Amino acid sequence: MCFNILYSIFNCLLDYYGPQGWWPVYSLRLSGGRDKRGYLPNPSDYSRRNIIAGLSSRDVFEIAVGAVLTQNTSWKNVEKALENLESAGLLDCRAVMDASATALADAVRPSGYYNQKAKKLKVLARFFSERGNPDNGNPPSREDLLELWGVGKETADSILLYAYGLPFFVVDAYTKRMFKRLGILTGDEEYDEIAAAFTSALGEDPGLFNEYHALIVRHGREHCRKKPLCKGCVLRMNNLCSF
DNA sequence: TCCCAGGGGCCGA
DNA sequence: TCGGCCCATGGG
């Protein structure tokens, strides 16, 4: 995997869609530093410091919660669940630990798999509570996260990248599908193999990883769907994809 | 009505 | 190790 082609794809998507400003943080939507959807208003500089600047321990917890809730689920449904959690006072580590399983499941119902996800949030809350505040200056190790029931590689990497600004490339279904169609992946690669290939080609740049993953998701939703919508695909128009 | 969405765990072969 | 199945709501 070479830097040039990956960077051409990135630039093409960035030119077309613009900066995505991930990760949206619900608790900051109505306060300074974010727009009303919780996105960074001017996400042009994605240094690690900027990614994690202004993230409170509560925000870090919220990003971890969002990473679990979005498992196999559209973000729109996750937002509803996050709103329910917020209005029930459950976007808080301690509160999740104290909440009943029913109350939690009820709040996260719109995101689907609500019984499973309620359990996962309990596990997450216990983890953060035991290691002190989910402070973004004190990141957990990937191994620690992977030991948690309900946290797999994509979820762990999302937390490390988006909550802690660490250079972990997030590989999801969109990444595999899109780069297979681009002829860069065969489709048989393991998660860690793909992540390592991106990391060694692009360099350990959390800002770039952040924006790249967000753009992949955007393009995957709008064009590179399971049933591809090649008409109007910017990668195709720029001769980067011949699928 | 059917398909799909920013996965992960479990189990049998 | 790997495939198949389960978890489940909401939108197109």
Side-chain angles (χ1 to χ4, degrees):
Chain A
M1 203 177 275
C2 85
F3 172 81
N4 287 342
I5 181 70
L6 290 188
Y7 210 67
S8 300
I9 292 165
F10 172 76
N11 277 321
C12 183
L13 294 174
L14 185 62
D15 281 347
Y16 188 71
Y17 294 109
Q20 301 301 296
W22 276 23
W23 189 286
V25 178
Y26 180 79
S27 59
L28 290 181
R29 276 177 205 176
L30 301 178
S31 64
R34 300 275 169 151
D35 68 14
K36 61 186 176 189
R37 292 164 62 212
Y39 290 77
L40 288 164
N42 182 23
S44 53
D45 178 9
Y46 282 94
S47 67
R48 173 170 190 257
R49 200 169 49 152
N50 278 10
I51 294 171
I52 65 173
L55 291 184
S56 64
S57 62
R58 182 190 172 86
D59 299 329
V60 169
F61 183 67
E62 183 191 320
I63 291 171
V65 168
V68 163
L69 294 184
T70 198
Q71 290 171 359
N72 213 26
T73 304
S74 68
W75 185 255
K76 219 166 201 181
N77 290 343
V78 173
E79 283 186 325
K80 290 176 189 165
L82 285 173
E83 279 175 31
N84 289 345
L85 288 169
E86 167 72 9
S87 54
L90 291 173
L91 270 184
D92 174 85
C93 194
R94 188 72 238 175
V96 168
M97 283 187 70
D98 294 340
S100 71
T102 329
L104 261 184
D106 208 41
V108 302
R109 186 176 297 270
S111 70
Y113 310 99
Y114 51 85
N115 287 319
Q116 301 253 343
K117 286 178 179 174
K119 276 189 216 165
K120 293 179 184 180
L121 295 193
K122 284 278 191 187
V123 169
L124 213 53
R126 189 177 312 117
F127 172 74
F128 280 120
S129 152
E130 281 172 359
R131 62 191 305 281
N133 269 343
D135 174 0
N136 66 4
N138 175 29
S141 71
R142 187 175 195 249
E143 291 68 33
D144 286 347
L145 288 171
L146 289 176
E147 277 180 15
L148 302 177
W149 183 87
V151 176
K153 291 173 179 173
E154 184 186 336
T155 306
D157 289 346
S158 295
I159 294 170
L160 291 167
L161 177 63
Y162 288 106
Y164 294 98
L166 295 173
F168 288 87
F169 196 91
V170 177
V171 178
D172 57 13
Y174 286 135
T175 313
K176 292 177 190 163
R177 186 164 71 218
M178 195 172 133
F179 284 86
K180 184 183 174 185
R181 287 175 179 162
L182 287 163
I184 293 171
L185 296 176
T186 65
D188 293 328
E189 295 90 348
E190 300 282 327
Y191 181 103
D192 287 330
E193 196 182 338
I194 300 172
F198 273 90
T199 304
S200 81
L202 295 172
E204 296 192 351
D205 182 343
L208 179 60
F209 290 5
N210 177 316
E211 190 58 43
Y212 212 149
H213 177 231
L215 286 166
I216 288 169
V217 172
R218 176 78 183 272
H219 189 63
R221 274 206 288 249
E222 298 194 9
H223 288 282
C224 214
R225 307 171 178 173
K226 199 170 266 188
K227 224 175 149 182
L229 201 62
C230 295
K231 191 180 174 188
C233 167
V234 67
L235 297 178
R236 204 178 176 78
M237 290 191 285
N238 284 276
N239 297 316
L240 289 165
C241 185
S242 53
F243 178 71

